[in-house]
Amino acid sequence: TAVFILAIVPNDYIDDYVDNADKWKHFIAFFTLSYLLNRASSTIAHRIRNMIALLLFGIFIELVQIYLTYRTSSIYDIYADMVGILLFQLFLSLWRFITEAD
């Protein structure tokens, strides 16, 4: 809910000072959402379901932003969402591999 609300309210001014700030915000949001969803997921099927659900959520946000005059919709935001999701999954897989090897 918090991510959706932040996605539909007017942008803050950090975008004026940080290159690609919007993409970083998407990446961080979806990396964090992946972490939170995967805290309770132990199987690969649950992880895949979470990834698909988060990607669809990112697409939904962009579709809503099409109709907001003070926001812009971008395919690159969806790419940033996807990178956040996939990098979290990579880190989680590496972490599990390392800790299970001990």
Side-chain angles (χ1 to χ4, degrees):
T1 305
V3 171
F4 181 71
I5 290 170
L6 291 171
I8 63 170
V9 298
N11 267 336
D12 56 7
Y13 295 102
I14 192 170
D15 294 345
D16 295 337
Y17 302 104
V18 179
D19 289 339
N20 298 312
D22 184 53
K23 305 309 173 258
W24 281 107
K25 289 187 282 186
H26 277 268
F27 170 80
I28 292 167
F30 280 82
F31 188 95
T32 304
L33 287 173
S34 291
Y35 168 76
L36 293 172
L37 273 177
N38 281 283
R39 294 283 298 158
S41 301
S42 58
T43 67
I44 191 70
H46 288 133
R47 289 173 65 188
I48 291 170
R49 178 202 63 202
N50 292 344
M51 291 168 52
I52 292 169
L54 284 175
L55 187 57
L56 290 174
F57 179 57
I59 292 168
F60 173 73
I61 287 171
E62 295 307 310
L63 291 173
V64 169
Q65 287 180 346
I66 289 172
Y67 300 102
L68 302 175
T69 57
Y70 51 87
R71 297 297 300 246
T72 58
S73 181
S74 169
I75 189 73
Y76 298 110
D77 291 344
I78 296 171
Y79 293 153
D81 299 342
M82 193 167 31
V83 169
I85 294 165
L86 293 174
L87 273 179
F88 172 79
Q89 295 299 326
L90 175 65
F91 290 152
L92 178 63
S93 296
L94 289 172
W95 175 258
R96 288 183 175 173
F97 178 75
I98 291 167
T99 57
E100 290 174 5
D102 292 336

XYZ file of all heavy atoms in Angstrom:
849
model
N 0.821 -1.192 0.000
C 0.000 0.000 0.000
C 0.866 1.259 0.000
O 0.596 2.193 -0.738
C -0.942 0.005 1.216
O -1.707 -1.194 1.217
C -1.873 1.188 1.169
N 1.894 1.261 0.832
C 2.764 2.444 0.925
C 3.446 2.727 -0.403
O 3.521 3.886 -0.830
C 3.791 2.258 2.030
N 3.917 1.692 -1.071
C 4.591 1.885 -2.360
C 3.610 2.436 -3.389
O 3.940 3.343 -4.152
C 5.232 0.570 -2.852
C 5.742 0.702 -4.276
C 6.355 0.152 -1.921
N 2.399 1.929 -3.394
C 1.406 2.426 -4.345
C 1.080 3.889 -4.071
O 1.008 4.702 -5.004
C 0.133 1.577 -4.307
C -0.904 2.033 -5.289
C -0.715 1.851 -6.649
C -2.051 2.661 -4.855
C -1.662 2.286 -7.563
C -3.004 3.100 -5.760
C -2.804 2.905 -7.118
N 0.890 4.241 -2.811
C 0.593 5.636 -2.466
C 1.740 6.542 -2.896
O 1.519 7.597 -3.501
C 0.297 5.776 -0.961
C -1.035 5.107 -0.643
C 0.286 7.242 -0.535
C -1.328 4.962 0.826
N 2.968 6.128 -2.623
C 4.115 6.939 -3.041
C 4.210 7.052 -4.561
O 4.701 8.048 -5.079
C 5.409 6.361 -2.470
C 5.567 6.490 -0.955
C 6.782 5.698 -0.484
C 5.679 7.942 -0.543
N 3.716 6.044 -5.251
C 3.781 6.044 -6.716
C 2.745 6.965 -7.350
O 2.909 7.358 -8.508
C 3.604 4.628 -7.250
N 1.686 7.306 -6.611
C 0.642 8.125 -7.228
C 0.578 9.557 -6.688
O -0.154 10.370 -7.227
C -0.748 7.454 -7.114
C -1.181 7.309 -5.656
C -0.766 6.143 -7.855
C -2.623 6.883 -5.496
N 1.340 9.857 -5.644
C 1.368 11.245 -5.169
C 2.376 12.024 -6.017
O 3.244 11.445 -6.658
C 1.726 11.343 -3.662
C 0.670 10.634 -2.819
C 3.097 10.799 -3.378
N 2.278 13.355 -6.023
C 3.260 14.130 -6.808
C 4.688 13.822 -6.377
O 4.959 13.548 -5.206
C 2.889 15.584 -6.484
C 1.447 15.518 -6.113
C 1.266 14.197 -5.408
N 5.599 13.861 -7.358
C 7.016 13.595 -7.110
C 7.608 14.602 -6.145
O 7.201 15.753 -6.119
C 7.817 13.665 -8.414
C 7.963 12.319 -9.058
O 7.888 11.296 -8.412
N 8.175 12.330 -10.353
N 8.622 14.171 -5.413
C 9.351 15.125 -4.578
C 10.485 15.731 -5.408
O 10.669 15.404 -6.565
C 9.880 14.459 -3.308
C 10.760 13.248 -3.600
O 11.073 13.005 -4.783
O 11.137 12.551 -2.663
N 11.230 16.613 -4.818
C 12.239 17.346 -5.576
C 13.593 16.654 -5.634
O 14.514 17.178 -6.240
C 12.392 18.751 -4.990
C 11.132 19.546 -5.171
C 10.245 19.743 -4.118
C 10.805 20.067 -6.414
C 9.075 20.455 -4.290
C 9.636 20.783 -6.605
C 8.782 20.965 -5.534
O 7.622 21.656 -5.719
N 13.715 15.469 -5.063
C 14.990 14.755 -5.124
C 15.350 14.433 -6.575
O 16.519 14.368 -6.931
C 14.973 13.475 -4.261
C 16.389 12.937 -4.103
C 14.053 12.429 -4.850
C 16.513 11.837 -3.080
N 14.340 14.274 -7.427
C 14.592 13.955 -8.837
C 15.395 15.052 -9.541
O 16.082 14.791 -10.508
C 13.271 13.738 -9.576
C 12.534 12.510 -9.079
O 13.146 11.680 -8.380
O 11.342 12.376 -9.382
N 15.293 16.272 -9.035
C 16.043 17.381 -9.633
C 17.525 17.334 -9.285
O 18.337 17.963 -9.951
C 15.475 18.730 -9.168
C 14.049 18.941 -9.659
O 13.665 18.313 -10.675
O 13.323 19.727 -9.022
N 17.898 16.596 -8.250
C 19.273 16.617 -7.749
C 20.035 15.311 -7.951
O 21.247 15.282 -7.851
C 19.283 16.974 -6.263
C 18.641 18.311 -5.991
C 17.384 18.399 -5.449
C 19.305 19.494 -6.328
C 16.790 19.635 -5.208
C 18.723 20.723 -6.104
C 17.467 20.788 -5.545
O 16.882 22.002 -5.330
N 19.334 14.239 -8.215
C 19.968 12.928 -8.355
C 19.630 12.364 -9.728
O 18.460 12.274 -10.094
C 19.472 11.958 -7.252
C 20.111 10.590 -7.431
C 19.755 12.521 -5.871
N 20.678 12.001 -10.484
C 20.442 11.409 -11.804
C 19.693 10.091 -11.653
O 20.038 9.263 -10.813
C 21.777 11.142 -12.512
C 22.458 12.418 -12.959
O 21.763 13.454 -13.093
O 23.683 12.400 -13.157
N 18.682 9.916 -12.467
C 17.883 8.695 -12.470
C 17.285 8.376 -11.104
O 17.112 7.209 -10.757
C 18.701 7.510 -12.979
C 19.154 7.697 -14.400
O 18.353 8.064 -15.264
N 20.426 7.494 -14.670
N 16.957 9.387 -10.322
C 16.414 9.174 -8.975
C 15.153 8.324 -9.024
O 14.952 7.454 -8.174
C 16.135 10.506 -8.294
N 14.307 8.561 -10.019
C 13.073 7.801 -10.120
C 13.356 6.312 -10.306
O 12.707 5.467 -9.695
C 12.229 8.335 -11.274
C 10.886 7.645 -11.363
O 10.166 7.614 -10.343
O 10.553 7.132 -12.454
N 14.340 5.996 -11.133
C 14.679 4.583 -11.357
C 15.257 3.955 -10.094
O 14.979 2.799 -9.766
C 15.673 4.434 -12.513
C 15.225 5.059 -13.823
C 13.837 4.630 -14.249
C 13.360 5.381 -15.460
N 12.432 6.449 -15.189
N 16.063 4.712 -9.360
C 16.611 4.206 -8.095
C 15.495 3.937 -7.093
O 15.527 2.953 -6.359
C 17.634 5.180 -7.511
C 18.951 5.066 -8.168
C 19.512 5.942 -9.046
C 19.900 3.997 -8.027
N 20.742 5.480 -9.466
C 20.999 4.289 -8.849
C 19.917 2.817 -7.283
C 22.108 3.445 -8.950
C 21.017 1.982 -7.385
C 22.088 2.300 -8.207
N 14.495 4.824 -7.062
C 13.371 4.622 -6.143
C 12.595 3.368 -6.519
O 12.191 2.599 -5.641
C 12.465 5.854 -6.130
C 13.114 7.051 -5.440
C 12.153 8.220 -5.283
C 11.987 8.974 -6.556
N 11.178 10.195 -6.422
N 12.402 3.137 -7.817
C 11.724 1.913 -8.253
C 12.545 0.691 -7.861
O 12.008 -0.284 -7.332
C 11.524 1.920 -9.781
C 10.325 2.682 -10.212
N 9.096 2.114 -10.387
C 10.165 4.004 -10.504
C 8.238 3.029 -10.774
N 8.866 4.192 -10.855
N 13.838 0.736 -8.145
C 14.703 -0.392 -7.809
C 14.641 -0.708 -6.314
O 14.441 -1.852 -5.914
C 16.146 -0.082 -8.227
C 17.138 -1.080 -7.711
C 17.303 -2.289 -8.352
C 17.885 -0.817 -6.579
C 18.209 -3.225 -7.870
C 18.787 -1.744 -6.087
C 18.949 -2.950 -6.740
N 14.816 0.291 -5.476
C 14.828 0.092 -4.024
C 13.476 -0.416 -3.530
O 13.416 -1.345 -2.715
C 15.234 1.398 -3.305
C 16.699 1.708 -3.597
C 14.982 1.309 -1.803
C 17.127 3.115 -3.220
N 12.399 0.154 -4.049
C 11.063 -0.277 -3.625
C 10.822 -1.746 -3.949
O 10.367 -2.519 -3.096
C 9.996 0.596 -4.277
N 11.152 -2.151 -5.159
C 10.862 -3.527 -5.550
C 11.879 -4.519 -4.995
O 11.545 -5.677 -4.760
C 10.687 -3.621 -7.074
C 9.320 -3.179 -7.477
C 9.023 -1.832 -7.622
C 8.306 -4.092 -7.662
C 7.750 -1.400 -7.954
C 7.026 -3.685 -7.995
C 6.753 -2.341 -8.134
N 13.084 -4.097 -4.739
C 14.047 -4.944 -4.031
C 13.516 -5.211 -2.619
O 13.497 -6.350 -2.147
C 15.412 -4.250 -3.972
C 16.517 -5.105 -3.441
C 17.335 -5.809 -4.302
C 16.753 -5.206 -2.080
C 18.372 -6.606 -3.814
C 17.776 -5.990 -1.580
C 18.586 -6.692 -2.456
N 13.037 -4.160 -1.959
C 12.511 -4.292 -0.606
C 11.234 -5.119 -0.582
O 11.067 -5.982 0.300
C 12.248 -2.897 -0.001
O 13.461 -2.148 -0.045
C 11.752 -2.992 1.428
N 10.337 -4.891 -1.528
C 9.122 -5.700 -1.590
C 9.455 -7.172 -1.821
O 8.807 -8.053 -1.250
C 8.198 -5.184 -2.695
C 7.474 -3.870 -2.418
C 6.742 -3.396 -3.669
C 6.514 -4.013 -1.256
N 10.441 -7.443 -2.646
C 10.871 -8.834 -2.864
C 11.358 -9.451 -1.563
O 11.028 -10.593 -1.239
C 11.980 -8.898 -3.914
O 11.479 -8.574 -5.172
N 12.154 -8.690 -0.830
C 12.644 -9.170 0.468
C 11.477 -9.496 1.393
O 11.431 -10.571 1.995
C 13.559 -8.122 1.108
C 13.866 -8.405 2.552
C 14.771 -9.398 2.892
C 13.234 -7.699 3.563
C 15.043 -9.680 4.219
C 13.502 -7.975 4.886
C 14.405 -8.960 5.222
O 14.655 -9.243 6.534
N 10.541 -8.586 1.504
C 9.418 -8.790 2.415
C 8.556 -9.975 2.000
O 8.148 -10.776 2.848
C 8.573 -7.517 2.493
C 9.259 -6.320 3.134
C 8.402 -5.072 2.989
C 9.578 -6.596 4.604
N 8.288 -10.118 0.712
C 7.481 -11.247 0.255
C 8.197 -12.579 0.437
O 7.584 -13.592 0.741
C 7.110 -11.080 -1.213
C 5.850 -10.290 -1.508
C 5.651 -10.157 -3.004
C 4.634 -10.954 -0.896
N 9.496 -12.583 0.255
C 10.234 -13.837 0.321
C 10.597 -14.262 1.733
O 11.116 -15.350 1.927
C 11.483 -13.767 -0.560
C 11.128 -13.966 -2.002
O 10.891 -15.073 -2.442
N 11.037 -12.881 -2.747
N 10.327 -13.417 2.707
C 10.567 -13.811 4.105
C 9.739 -15.044 4.458
O 10.136 -15.849 5.282
C 10.222 -12.669 5.059
C 11.092 -11.457 4.946
C 12.430 -11.631 5.596
N 12.237 -11.853 7.011
C 13.126 -12.439 7.784
N 14.258 -12.844 7.294
N 12.901 -12.629 9.061
N 8.572 -15.174 3.849
C 7.682 -16.288 4.157
C 7.674 -17.355 3.065
O 6.906 -18.298 3.131
C 6.264 -15.766 4.371
N 8.519 -17.225 2.069
C 8.511 -18.154 0.945
C 9.707 -19.084 1.016
O 10.838 -18.639 1.075
C 8.554 -17.381 -0.377
O 7.455 -16.527 -0.469
N 9.412 -20.355 0.984
C 10.509 -21.304 1.077
C 10.700 -22.127 -0.190
O 11.737 -22.749 -0.364
C 10.276 -22.253 2.260
O 9.046 -22.933 2.090
N 9.727 -22.114 -1.065
C 9.849 -22.931 -2.268
C 10.081 -22.055 -3.495
O 9.752 -20.872 -3.503
C 8.577 -23.768 -2.503
O 7.496 -22.887 -2.806
C 8.231 -24.610 -1.283
N 10.622 -22.659 -4.511
C 10.864 -21.939 -5.758
C 9.539 -21.505 -6.390
O 9.453 -20.431 -6.988
C 11.726 -22.776 -6.744
C 12.195 -21.916 -7.920
C 10.988 -23.988 -7.219
C 13.209 -20.881 -7.552
N 8.497 -22.310 -6.226
C 7.187 -21.946 -6.778
C 6.672 -20.659 -6.136
O 6.115 -19.793 -6.829
C 6.189 -23.077 -6.572
N 6.851 -20.524 -4.825
C 6.429 -19.293 -4.146
C 7.267 -18.104 -4.602
O 6.745 -16.995 -4.762
C 6.537 -19.447 -2.629
C 5.497 -20.331 -2.052
N 5.801 -21.312 -1.141
C 4.163 -20.400 -2.257
C 4.699 -21.943 -0.806
N 3.690 -21.413 -1.475
N 8.545 -18.317 -4.788
C 9.410 -17.225 -5.238
C 9.021 -16.757 -6.628
O 8.975 -15.558 -6.897
C 10.869 -17.654 -5.192
C 11.398 -17.784 -3.761
C 12.780 -18.353 -3.693
N 13.753 -17.475 -4.309
C 15.018 -17.815 -4.516
N 15.460 -19.005 -4.164
N 15.849 -16.968 -5.086
N 8.722 -17.684 -7.522
C 8.303 -17.328 -8.877
C 6.963 -16.602 -8.834
O 6.777 -15.579 -9.504
C 8.243 -18.578 -9.780
C 9.663 -19.097 -10.019
C 7.526 -18.278 -11.093
C 9.734 -20.436 -10.692
N 6.039 -17.097 -8.010
C 4.745 -16.431 -7.858
C 4.933 -14.994 -7.363
O 4.311 -14.062 -7.866
C 3.875 -17.202 -6.868
C 2.522 -16.558 -6.606
C 1.920 -16.985 -5.306
N 2.789 -16.554 -4.225
C 2.792 -17.094 -3.018
N 2.000 -18.102 -2.744
N 3.589 -16.644 -2.065
N 5.817 -14.808 -6.392
C 6.091 -13.472 -5.856
C 6.687 -12.552 -6.924
O 6.323 -11.383 -7.009
C 7.043 -13.550 -4.664
C 6.417 -14.210 -3.464
O 5.204 -14.366 -3.388
N 7.244 -14.611 -2.517
N 7.598 -13.080 -7.714
C 8.221 -12.275 -8.762
C 7.187 -11.818 -9.784
O 7.163 -10.648 -10.184
C 9.341 -13.072 -9.441
C 10.536 -13.313 -8.543
S 11.722 -14.520 -9.176
C 12.065 -13.928 -10.800
N 6.319 -12.728 -10.195
C 5.281 -12.385 -11.175
C 4.317 -11.364 -10.580
O 3.959 -10.379 -11.238
C 4.549 -13.655 -11.647
C 5.501 -14.532 -12.469
C 3.290 -13.297 -12.448
C 4.980 -15.920 -12.761
N 3.907 -11.586 -9.325
C 2.973 -10.660 -8.679
C 3.579 -9.264 -8.563
O 2.902 -8.262 -8.829
C 2.582 -11.193 -7.296
N 4.849 -9.183 -8.183
C 5.488 -7.873 -8.061
C 5.643 -7.190 -9.406
O 5.438 -5.976 -9.523
C 6.854 -8.009 -7.381
C 6.815 -8.229 -5.879
C 8.223 -8.466 -5.351
C 6.178 -7.042 -5.180
N 5.984 -7.930 -10.427
C 6.106 -7.339 -11.757
C 4.752 -6.822 -12.245
O 4.663 -5.726 -12.792
C 6.692 -8.339 -12.748
C 7.025 -7.783 -14.115
C 7.994 -6.604 -14.016
C 7.616 -8.865 -14.989
N 3.693 -7.588 -12.011
C 2.355 -7.131 -12.380
C 1.961 -5.883 -11.583
O 1.305 -4.978 -12.116
C 1.333 -8.251 -12.168
C 1.435 -9.421 -13.147
C 0.479 -10.531 -12.748
C 1.182 -8.966 -14.569
N 2.371 -5.823 -10.327
C 2.120 -4.632 -9.507
C 2.835 -3.422 -10.098
O 2.265 -2.330 -10.185
C 2.567 -4.889 -8.065
C 2.382 -3.715 -7.146
C 1.146 -3.134 -6.962
C 3.466 -3.207 -6.451
C 0.982 -2.053 -6.108
C 3.320 -2.137 -5.595
C 2.071 -1.550 -5.424
N 4.069 -3.599 -10.525
C 4.820 -2.516 -11.162
C 4.152 -2.043 -12.447
O 4.072 -0.839 -12.713
N 3.654 -2.977 -13.233
C 2.941 -2.620 -14.461
C 1.653 -1.867 -14.116
O 1.317 -0.861 -14.752
C 2.654 -3.876 -15.305
C 3.974 -4.454 -15.837
C 1.679 -3.576 -16.446
C 3.854 -5.840 -16.449
N 0.943 -2.325 -13.091
C -0.273 -1.655 -12.648
C 0.004 -0.207 -12.248
O -0.739 0.709 -12.623
C -0.901 -2.427 -11.478
C -2.060 -1.718 -10.848
C -3.282 -1.639 -11.503
C -1.928 -1.142 -9.601
C -4.349 -0.979 -10.916
C -2.989 -0.482 -9.006
C -4.208 -0.399 -9.664
N 1.087 0.008 -11.512
C 1.462 1.365 -11.104
C 1.662 2.250 -12.341
O 1.182 3.385 -12.390
C 2.732 1.353 -10.237
C 2.417 0.802 -8.846
C 3.349 2.752 -10.131
C 3.654 0.553 -7.989
N 2.380 1.741 -13.326
C 2.626 2.533 -14.534
C 1.336 2.811 -15.297
O 1.161 3.898 -15.856
C 3.652 1.843 -15.429
C 5.024 1.736 -14.810
C 5.567 3.061 -14.305
O 5.550 4.043 -15.071
O 5.993 3.115 -13.144
N 0.421 1.862 -15.322
C -0.862 2.086 -15.982
C -1.667 3.165 -15.271
O -2.300 4.003 -15.913
C -1.661 0.780 -16.067
C -1.104 -0.283 -17.003
C -1.891 -1.584 -16.874
C -1.094 0.208 -18.433
N -1.644 3.167 -13.941
C -2.336 4.211 -13.183
C -1.693 5.561 -13.457
O -2.391 6.574 -13.636
C -2.328 3.886 -11.668
C -2.799 5.074 -10.850
C -3.187 2.660 -11.382
N -0.365 5.604 -13.531
C 0.328 6.870 -13.739
C 0.041 7.491 -15.107
O 0.187 8.697 -15.276
C 1.837 6.691 -13.551
C 2.226 6.512 -12.102
C 3.721 6.344 -11.922
O 4.454 6.112 -12.877
N 4.165 6.451 -10.681
N -0.401 6.706 -16.058
C -0.781 7.240 -17.366
C -1.884 8.287 -17.205
O -1.916 9.290 -17.917
C -1.245 6.106 -18.318
C -0.055 5.248 -18.741
C -1.976 6.671 -19.543
C -0.444 3.995 -19.509
N -2.769 8.064 -16.251
C -3.931 8.936 -16.065
C -3.697 10.066 -15.073
O -4.597 10.860 -14.821
C -5.136 8.096 -15.634
C -5.476 7.056 -16.685
C -5.105 5.735 -16.513
C -6.128 7.412 -17.850
C -5.391 4.783 -17.477
C -6.423 6.466 -18.831
C -6.045 5.157 -18.626
O -6.322 4.235 -19.591
N -2.512 10.169 -14.510
C -2.203 11.229 -13.554
C -1.425 12.326 -14.269
O -0.360 12.067 -14.834
C -1.391 10.678 -12.377
C -2.053 9.545 -11.584
C -1.097 9.012 -10.525
C -3.351 10.021 -10.958
N -1.914 13.527 -14.223
C -1.261 14.622 -14.944
C 0.067 15.015 -14.321
O 0.932 15.553 -15.004
C -2.173 15.862 -14.985
O -2.500 16.241 -13.643
C -3.454 15.570 -15.749
N 0.258 14.752 -13.047
C 1.481 15.150 -12.345
C 2.504 14.024 -12.254
O 3.538 14.176 -11.624
C 1.136 15.668 -10.932
C 0.252 14.728 -10.146
C 0.805 13.699 -9.390
C -1.132 14.869 -10.174
C 0.000 12.827 -8.694
C -1.933 14.004 -9.462
C -1.369 12.982 -8.717
O -2.160 12.123 -8.024
N 2.244 12.895 -12.876
C 3.195 11.783 -12.921
C 3.373 11.348 -14.360
O 2.525 11.599 -15.211
C 2.695 10.583 -12.092
C 2.529 10.811 -10.613
C 3.828 11.149 -9.909
N 4.834 10.121 -10.025
C 5.299 9.410 -9.010
N 4.838 9.596 -7.806
N 6.245 8.518 -9.192
N 4.474 10.666 -14.641
C 4.685 10.123 -15.979
C 4.881 8.620 -15.881
O 5.448 8.111 -14.914
C 5.930 10.751 -16.649
O 7.066 10.516 -15.826
C 5.735 12.231 -16.875
N 4.420 7.951 -16.884
C 4.558 6.504 -16.963
C 5.730 6.185 -17.888
O 5.949 6.879 -18.873
C 3.264 5.912 -17.514
O 3.351 4.525 -17.578
N 6.477 5.135 -17.546
C 7.642 4.797 -18.359
C 7.911 3.302 -18.314
O 7.854 2.680 -17.253
C 8.865 5.560 -17.841
O 10.037 5.077 -18.444
N 8.224 2.747 -19.470
C 8.619 1.337 -19.530
C 9.909 1.118 -18.751
O 10.134 0.053 -18.192
C 8.741 0.862 -20.999
C 8.944 -0.645 -21.089
C 9.886 1.566 -21.702
C 7.727 -1.450 -20.777
N 10.738 2.160 -18.669
C 12.003 2.034 -17.941
C 11.781 1.882 -16.445
O 12.605 1.289 -15.751
C 12.912 3.222 -18.251
C 13.273 3.280 -19.716
C 12.766 4.273 -20.535
C 14.080 2.298 -20.290
C 13.063 4.308 -21.891
C 14.392 2.323 -21.634
C 13.881 3.321 -22.429
O 14.176 3.334 -23.774
N 10.659 2.391 -15.945
C 10.325 2.155 -14.543
C 10.037 0.677 -14.308
O 10.426 0.112 -13.282
C 9.117 3.002 -14.124
C 9.420 4.484 -14.080
O 10.616 4.849 -14.067
O 8.467 5.275 -14.053
N 9.382 0.050 -15.260
C 9.105 -1.385 -15.145
C 10.415 -2.165 -15.208
O 10.603 -3.136 -14.471
C 8.121 -1.838 -16.239
C 6.768 -1.141 -16.030
C 7.960 -3.357 -16.235
C 5.787 -1.331 -17.167
N 11.340 -1.723 -16.050
C 12.653 -2.372 -16.101
C 13.368 -2.233 -14.746
O 13.983 -3.187 -14.264
C 13.528 -1.778 -17.198
C 13.057 -2.032 -18.605
C 13.378 -1.163 -19.628
C 12.285 -3.144 -18.931
C 12.955 -1.385 -20.931
C 11.852 -3.367 -20.230
C 12.192 -2.490 -21.216
O 11.777 -2.720 -22.492
N 13.294 -1.053 -14.146
C 13.926 -0.846 -12.839
C 13.272 -1.737 -11.784
O 13.965 -2.294 -10.922
C 13.826 0.627 -12.432
N 11.947 -1.891 -11.849
C 11.248 -2.795 -10.934
C 11.775 -4.218 -11.116
O 12.090 -4.918 -10.143
C 9.739 -2.799 -11.213
C 9.084 -1.442 -11.039
O 9.680 -0.562 -10.389
O 7.966 -1.266 -11.569
N 11.893 -4.634 -12.372
C 12.340 -5.987 -12.678
C 13.775 -6.225 -12.207
O 14.087 -7.288 -11.669
C 12.214 -6.244 -14.181
C 12.355 -7.683 -14.559
S 11.853 -8.091 -16.255
C 12.202 -6.642 -17.198
N 14.631 -5.239 -12.375
C 16.015 -5.378 -11.918
C 16.052 -5.518 -10.398
O 16.789 -6.349 -9.861
C 16.884 -4.194 -12.398
C 18.242 -4.198 -11.720
C 17.039 -4.235 -13.911
N 15.249 -4.730 -9.695
C 15.184 -4.842 -8.244
C 14.731 -6.221 -7.808
O 15.307 -6.835 -6.900
N 13.704 -6.739 -8.462
C 13.181 -8.073 -8.142
C 14.233 -9.141 -8.423
O 14.516 -9.996 -7.581
C 11.896 -8.347 -8.958
C 10.770 -7.406 -8.531
C 11.464 -9.802 -8.827
C 9.600 -7.351 -9.512
N 14.821 -9.099 -9.606
C 15.779 -10.129 -10.002
C 17.069 -10.074 -9.188
O 17.622 -11.129 -8.829
C 16.078 -10.032 -11.498
C 14.902 -10.367 -12.417
C 15.266 -10.089 -13.866
C 14.451 -11.804 -12.223
N 17.557 -8.875 -8.878
C 18.768 -8.793 -8.065
C 18.532 -9.313 -6.658
O 19.396 -9.979 -6.091
C 19.299 -7.357 -8.016
C 20.232 -6.981 -9.143
C 20.688 -5.536 -9.019
C 21.431 -7.902 -9.204
N 17.361 -9.023 -6.103
C 17.079 -9.601 -4.792
C 17.090 -11.126 -4.872
O 17.668 -11.791 -4.011
C 15.728 -9.139 -4.219
C 15.398 -9.898 -2.972
C 15.996 -9.545 -1.770
C 14.597 -11.016 -3.011
C 15.767 -10.287 -0.632
C 14.356 -11.763 -1.872
C 14.938 -11.398 -0.676
N 16.441 -11.685 -5.888
C 16.396 -13.141 -6.021
C 17.797 -13.726 -6.187
O 18.110 -14.785 -5.636
C 15.492 -13.538 -7.192
C 14.044 -13.189 -7.000
C 13.419 -13.864 -5.798
O 13.745 -14.994 -5.446
N 12.506 -13.163 -5.160
N 18.638 -13.029 -6.928
C 20.025 -13.477 -7.084
C 20.748 -13.468 -5.742
O 21.394 -14.452 -5.370
C 20.756 -12.592 -8.089
C 22.250 -12.876 -8.259
C 22.464 -14.262 -8.855
C 22.896 -11.814 -9.110
N 20.616 -12.362 -5.001
C 21.274 -12.283 -3.690
C 20.734 -13.343 -2.734
O 21.495 -13.954 -1.990
C 21.107 -10.897 -3.074
C 21.893 -9.821 -3.766
C 21.453 -8.516 -3.752
C 23.064 -10.100 -4.458
C 22.167 -7.505 -4.392
C 23.780 -9.111 -5.102
C 23.339 -7.820 -5.064
N 19.426 -13.566 -2.761
C 18.833 -14.584 -1.897
C 19.362 -15.967 -2.257
O 19.731 -16.753 -1.372
C 17.308 -14.556 -2.006
C 16.562 -15.599 -1.177
C 16.806 -15.385 0.318
C 15.066 -15.556 -1.489
N 19.426 -16.265 -3.544
C 19.938 -17.571 -3.981
C 21.400 -17.746 -3.580
O 21.792 -18.817 -3.101
C 19.791 -17.724 -5.491
O 18.437 -17.730 -5.851
N 22.209 -16.698 -3.770
C 23.618 -16.772 -3.364
C 23.750 -16.955 -1.852
O 24.567 -17.753 -1.383
C 24.375 -15.525 -3.822
C 24.625 -15.406 -5.319
C 25.212 -14.048 -5.650
C 25.539 -16.522 -5.796
N 22.946 -16.215 -1.100
C 22.984 -16.322 0.358
C 22.625 -17.739 0.815
O 23.303 -18.317 1.646
C 22.030 -15.304 0.989
C 21.937 -15.438 2.470
C 20.943 -16.022 3.177
C 22.905 -15.005 3.434
N 21.215 -15.976 4.510
C 22.420 -15.348 4.697
C 24.128 -14.345 3.326
C 23.125 -15.067 5.856
C 24.809 -14.064 4.493
C 24.312 -14.426 5.733
N 21.584 -18.294 0.244
C 21.172 -19.656 0.605
C 22.235 -20.670 0.201
O 22.492 -21.627 0.929
C 19.822 -19.986 -0.016
C 18.686 -19.256 0.657
C 17.353 -19.632 0.085
N 16.281 -18.995 0.836
C 15.014 -19.036 0.487
N 14.637 -19.698 -0.595
N 14.113 -18.424 1.210
N 22.849 -20.476 -0.950
C 23.890 -21.389 -1.396
C 25.093 -21.354 -0.448
O 25.633 -22.388 -0.064
C 24.334 -21.026 -2.817
C 25.447 -21.882 -3.339
C 25.221 -23.171 -3.756
C 26.751 -21.381 -3.391
C 26.263 -23.961 -4.243
C 27.786 -22.165 -3.865
C 27.551 -23.462 -4.288
N 25.500 -20.144 -0.062
C 26.650 -19.989 0.829
C 26.367 -20.546 2.202
O 27.194 -21.262 2.780
C 27.081 -18.500 0.903
C 27.666 -18.064 -0.430
C 28.063 -18.263 2.038
C 27.838 -16.567 -0.562
N 25.204 -20.240 2.750
C 24.897 -20.696 4.121
C 24.618 -22.180 4.186
O 24.870 -22.808 5.213
C 23.715 -19.909 4.723
O 22.575 -20.052 3.879
C 24.077 -18.437 4.890
N 24.111 -22.775 3.120
C 23.859 -24.205 3.115
C 25.141 -24.991 2.876
O 25.212 -26.170 3.192
C 22.801 -24.566 2.081
C 21.436 -24.080 2.462
C 20.403 -24.298 1.363
O 20.756 -24.926 0.330
O 19.269 -23.839 1.534
N 26.149 -24.343 2.306
C 27.411 -25.026 2.031
C 28.208 -25.265 3.310
O 29.067 -26.131 3.340
C 28.247 -24.199 1.050
N 27.927 -24.493 4.352
C 28.661 -24.647 5.618
C 28.252 -25.869 6.375
O 27.310 -26.428 6.424
C 28.455 -23.415 6.507
C 29.129 -22.195 5.887
O 30.068 -22.377 5.113
O 28.696 -21.072 6.209
